[in-house]
Amino acid sequence: MTRRVLVPMDDSEPARAALEHALSVFPTDEVTVVHVVDDLEAGYGGRPPVTTGGGDDADDPDFFDDVSAIAAERDRTVDTAVIEGTSADAILEYAREEDVDQIVMGSEGRSGVSRMLLGSVAEAVTRQASIPVTIVP
C-alpha cells in the first residue's frame, strides 16, 4: 500500500534535510512538498514569503526547483503545492484534506523574534497531528 507523505518546506537547510530523509525512508511512497505562505509570520519579522518562479505556475516558489533536483537525484518525482494560512494550522488542514499518512519536517525554519513570538511550527504540528510526524534536525 502506498503511503502519502507530506513534507512542509521553506527555504532552509533543515527543510531540505527533511525532504532528503523522506525520499530515503519512503522510497516507494507518494511525497508531496508544501510551502505555506503565512502573512502573519512575515509581519512578526520572520522570513519574507519566498519569491515565485517564472515558470508556468506563478505560485511555485523558486526553491521548488531545488526540490525537483533533490528528487531527481534519487530518480523520484514529488508533487508540490503552495498553501495559505498560519503555518501549523495550514499544514495540519492540508494533511487532513489530502488523507496524508505521515508528515516529515525540519526541526526549525524560523529564527529570532518570529520563533519566540509565534512558537515552533514543528512543535505545534507534532502536538496537534493525528498521524505520525518525523522531525529531522
Side-chain angles (χ1 to χ4, degrees):
M1 181 173 119
T2 300
R3 288 176 289 212
R4 299 187 70 178
V5 180
L6 181 64
V7 181
M9 195 101 187
D10 59 11
D11 195 16
S12 70
E13 286 306 314
R16 284 182 175 79
L19 175 59
E20 291 172 357
H21 180 81
L23 293 170
S24 296
V25 173
F26 302 99
T28 61
D29 295 315
E30 181 182 317
V31 175
T32 300
V33 174
V34 296
H35 174 71
V36 180
V37 176
D38 185 344
D39 294 332
L40 178 62
E41 180 179 333
Y44 278 106
R47 294 176 187 216
V50 295
T51 58
T52 56
D56 292 339
D57 187 350
D59 291 332
D60 283 350
D62 289 337
F63 67 78
F64 278 171
D65 292 338
D66 293 340
V67 166
S68 296
I70 291 168
E73 289 173 3
R74 290 162 178 77
D75 294 324
R76 300 280 305 274
T77 59
V78 296
D79 294 323
T80 59
V82 176
I83 56 178
E84 294 182 20
T86 304
S87 296
D89 292 339
I91 292 164
L92 292 165
E93 180 179 348
Y94 185 92
R96 278 189 300 275
E97 289 176 357
E98 298 298 323
D99 200 25
V100 169
D101 300 300
Q102 173 84 35
I103 299 171
V104 179
M105 61 190 304
S107 59
E108 60 185 78
R110 288 191 185 132
S111 61
V113 175
S114 171
R115 184 176 177 136
M116 290 188 320
L117 290 174
L118 299 175
S120 168
V121 173
E123 179 185 353
V125 169
T126 302
R127 279 188 290 110
Q128 297 174 39
S130 60
I131 58 174
V133 178
T134 301
I135 305 298
V136 178

